[in-house]
Structure formats: structure tokens, C-alpha cells
Amino acid sequence: MLAIAMNPVGGSLDSYYPQQNATEIAALNIGDTVITGMDVVDEGKLRKVPLTYHPDYLIKDIQEERFSDLFTALMTGAVETPIDELTGDHISSQGTAQGFEGPGILVVNGDKLSVSSPGTFVWGFKKAYTYGVKTNNGLEIRENGTTIKTVPYTDISNSTVPHKYVTVKTLKKWYNKANNGAKIALDYGLSNFNDNRNSVAPEEIKTFFGEDVLNYMENYPSGSPVMVYAKSTTQTVVGTGAEVLGSYTNYSTAARAYNAMQFVKGWNNTIIPPHTTSHGKETVGFQGISDPHAPDDSATHGVCPAARSLRSAVMSDGFPLPVGMSTGEYAVLYGFEPSAGILLNNTNDYPVKIVMWTTGSGASLHIYTKAIALT
């Protein structure tokens, strides 16, 4: 009854009390990644307005059983703005994200704080986030440009520094040879997303995108595109390739077969988003085979048949000749590491997934490739 009686007064005061800016109540930065169940509204930032201005808020307190807020409003004459007055899509009346799948984005639509559901495909790029910097006092740890702590050399261990990408042994070896001020990348985040969401720190990747995404990005060089979300899609084979290892009397067949299979391992399941470029995995190794005709008297023979298979599949889908490859039988150019060194350019409007596998063994090793469009 009180709210009904005071409503005309509240209406007349409406023009004197502009609505609170939606960004003021956000618990996160606009553009941050959001998943269902996260709190996105900071209730402590909700403005209280005179009861005479919005007596109808009392009714919402009753409907939502906020009896403590109701009592406070009646005692003080000031009532808290209901969350749903300032929020829009995918935010509950309690200020949590709801009603969408996948990694959403906190946005402002019009004058409402909202969560935008992800598009069909979301990808970002692997970028160094945490660095170690050598100083006179030890190893300075910097995250996203901010110094977090300094670890004395004698205290460098798995419990004091990130070690997902660089082992403690390697880090100490680097430290002993580096000059003061030199830096080394220790951990990686994701940035420059196709939907313009904010960068995601290393510790958030698994939470927002899942462990598979984290495992994927660990295998690829810095700067590589990483598909973090894909709705149910249609997969269509748009290019194929097939080659046989064969034998060369001057080179070990077993070593060549090993290199071919490592090439397959380096490229299998690589996803290249539209209008981006990608290397293969950097976590595979190849066996050098003595060759007096090679620039360094050694070459990774065996990768060329596998490279021809990959080249055939992607170029039949409209890719240009991969960087680091030739058009001939000797497909991998000297000086290019066969996985992390070669670069594929997807000029299509859809993501392409590379699938490679082998059958047989020795000189009869068959290498197959499929380029699969995700639409």
C-alpha cells in the first residue's frame, strides 16, 4: 500500500535521479570472459535511492524475499536499486551469469550490464604472459608487465617459479649465461581474440576453456592461434593427400620413417582459424641424418613425403604454398624445422583442421592427410 501511494511522487522525481551507469556495478572488467554461475554484479556498488523516488522497489524486495533489505529501506528511507533494473541478457536477479553455453563475455548493451553468449567459433593467440628477468638480486617474476616477486637464484624451484614451459634445470642454465636485464618467457596466456574479449591469464585458461585447450596451446609456438570454443559443427573433407615413404640406399629407412611419423605427430589435429596462419607443434623432435650435400652436413630426411601429403591436402583447399616448402619432391626447404618452422595460411572463411595418420612400416609407410572444414 505504501509503495502504491508513493508511486506518483516517485514518478515526478524520476527525471532528477538518472539511472546508475551499468559499468559501475560490474564485478569484472567489461570484456572479461564469463561462464555460467559466475558473479558478475558487485552488490556493494548498487546505488541506494530515496524511497520516495522508487517505492516500487519495495515490492521487488517482497517478491524476492529480501526482507532484510525491505526492513532497512523502511527504517532509513533509502532503498537499494534491484539488480534487474540495471542488467540485461544472461544475468539473474541475484547478479550471476546464466542461460548460455560456453565462454561468454561481460558487455554493456544499451544501458544494461549483460553477458553476450559466444559465437560459433572463438579463438585467441598464444602470447607470453609471465617472464623471468635476471637481476643482481635473483630472478624477477613479471606477469603482464607487473613485477610479482623476486626469487633468489638459490631458491629457484618448481614451487617458486612457473615451470610448465621451462624446466628449473633449463632456467638455471639460462640464468648463469644471461646478462642482467635479459628475460625469458615462463608462461603464456591468450589474447587478441576474434570476438575482441579481454586477454585471459594462464591460470584462467583451464577454467574458462577446458583442459584440452590448455594442452593444445602448450604444444604450439608463441603467436599460434588457439581455438578455444566451437559449437556443434559440420565437418567436411575439403582436401586430401597421400604419399609412400619409399627407400633411399644412402639413408637409413628406420630413421626416415621416424622423421615422417614425427612430422605427422607435429601436424595432426592442428586447427587453423579463418584468415590466420599457424605452425605445427614445437614439442616434437626429429633425427638428423648425415648428408654431405646438406648445409650443415645433416638433414631430417623422411619428412618430405609427409610434407607432400600435407601440402597436397591444404593447397587443394585453396591454401597458398606453405612457407618453408617447395613445390617439388623435396618439399621441406633446408633451414626450416619441419613442424614448428613451416607455416600454413588459411585463406578461407572457415576453420580448417588438419588430420594426419600413417599405416604400414619401413619403406612401405603410407602417410595420409585430410584437410577438414569446420562450418
Side-chain angles (χ1 to χ4, degrees):
M1 294 295 293
L2 176 63
I4 294 172
M6 296 173 66
N7 192 58
V9 179
S12 67
L13 292 173
D14 189 68
S15 61
Y16 296 98
Y17 290 90
Q19 179 174 292
Q20 188 174 7
N21 191 314
T23 59
E24 296 175 12
I25 67 167
L28 307 168
N29 294 319
I30 303 302
D32 278 357
T33 297
V34 174
I35 56 176
T36 298
M38 286 182 63
D39 291 324
V40 295
V41 175
D42 186 342
E43 294 193 47
K45 296 177 181 178
L46 290 170
R47 181 188 300 166
K48 289 187 177 182
V49 298
L51 188 55
T52 54
Y53 170 43
H54 264 302
D56 53 306
Y57 289 174
L58 293 178
I59 298 175
K60 288 193 175 183
D61 282 343
I62 295 172
Q63 291 173 337
E64 296 176 8
E65 299 183 353
R66 293 175 176 263
F67 299 121
S68 176
D69 291 346
L70 175 66
F71 179 77
T72 300
L74 292 174
M75 292 298 100
T76 63
V79 62
E80 188 176 88
T81 304
I83 290 175
D84 58 12
E85 289 290 315
L86 302 172
T87 57
D89 294 339
H90 304 309
I91 299 179
S92 73
S93 59
Q94 286 74 44
T96 58
Q98 65 174 15
F100 62 95
E101 295 182 0
I105 315 173
L106 190 64
V107 298
V108 174
N109 284 331
D111 58 354
K112 304 288 188 181
L113 185 70
S114 305
V115 174
S116 176
S117 57
T120 302
F121 299 107
V122 180
W123 66 86
F125 293 83
K126 181 179 177 179
K127 182 179 179 182
Y129 184 91
T130 305
Y131 286 95
V133 181
K134 181 177 179 178
T135 69
N136 288 326
N137 299 321
L139 187 70
E140 192 174 87
I141 307 298
R142 296 180 185 174
E143 289 187 351
N144 203 26
T146 301
T147 299
I148 304 301
K149 61 181 178 180
T150 298
V151 180
Y153 175 81
T154 55
D155 291 343
I156 294 176
S157 68
N158 285 347
S159 61
T160 59
V161 299
H163 55 276
K164 186 184 298 293
Y165 290 91
V166 181
T167 66
V168 168
K169 181 179 179 180
T170 300
L171 183 58
K172 286 186 173 182
K173 183 178 180 180
W174 168 85
Y175 185 95
N176 289 327
K177 293 183 177 181
N179 296 322
N180 282 347
K183 64 181 183 179
I184 183 171
L186 299 177
D187 210 349
Y188 294 82
L190 291 168
S191 62
N192 300 113
F193 287 89
N194 64 308
D195 56 6
N196 297 315
R197 69 180 66 217
N198 295 339
S199 298
V200 175
E203 65 272 12
E204 297 174 326
I205 293 170
K206 182 177 177 180
T207 299
F208 291 148
F209 308 129
E211 189 168 7
D212 287 347
V213 169
L214 184 61
N215 292 337
Y216 181 97
M217 68 175 287
E218 287 177 4
N219 287 305
Y220 290 82
S222 181
S224 296
V226 179
M227 186 72 71
V228 301
Y229 177 74
K231 287 183 180 177
S232 180
T233 58
T234 298
Q235 299 191 16
T236 306
V237 176
V238 288
T240 61
E243 292 286 339
V244 180
L245 183 68
S247 61
Y248 289 82
T249 55
N250 294 337
Y251 309 121
S252 165
T253 297
R256 291 178 62 248
Y258 173 82
N259 285 336
M261 289 186 289
Q262 287 297 99
F263 187 100
V264 169
K265 182 179 178 181
W267 284 99
N268 185 41
N269 289 327
T270 297
I271 298 176
I272 311 173
H275 305 291
T276 67
T277 58
S278 181
H279 297 279
K281 301 178 183 73
E282 64 178 355
T283 51
V284 296
F286 297 87
Q287 180 176 335
I289 300 174
S290 179
D291 184 348
H293 302 291
D296 297 320
D297 297 325
S298 177
T300 54
H301 290 301
V303 298
C304 285
R308 293 196 300 269
S309 176
L310 174 63
R311 182 184 66 192
S312 175
V314 297
M315 291 188 70
S316 61
D317 187 37
F319 282 40
L321 178 69
V323 175
M325 285 193 187
S326 75
T327 57
E329 179 181 3
Y330 302 106
V332 179
L333 298 173
Y334 285 124
F336 286 86
E337 199 276 342
S339 180
I342 289 174
L343 189 67
L344 301 186
N345 180 11
N346 180 8
T347 55
N348 297 302
D349 294 329
Y350 46 80
V352 173
K353 179 178 181 179
I354 305 299
V355 176
M356 297 192 73
W357 73 100
T358 64
T359 62
S361 62
S364 298
L365 185 74
H366 286 66
I367 306 114
Y368 300 98
T369 306
K370 287 183 180 180
I372 300 175
L374 309 179
T375 56

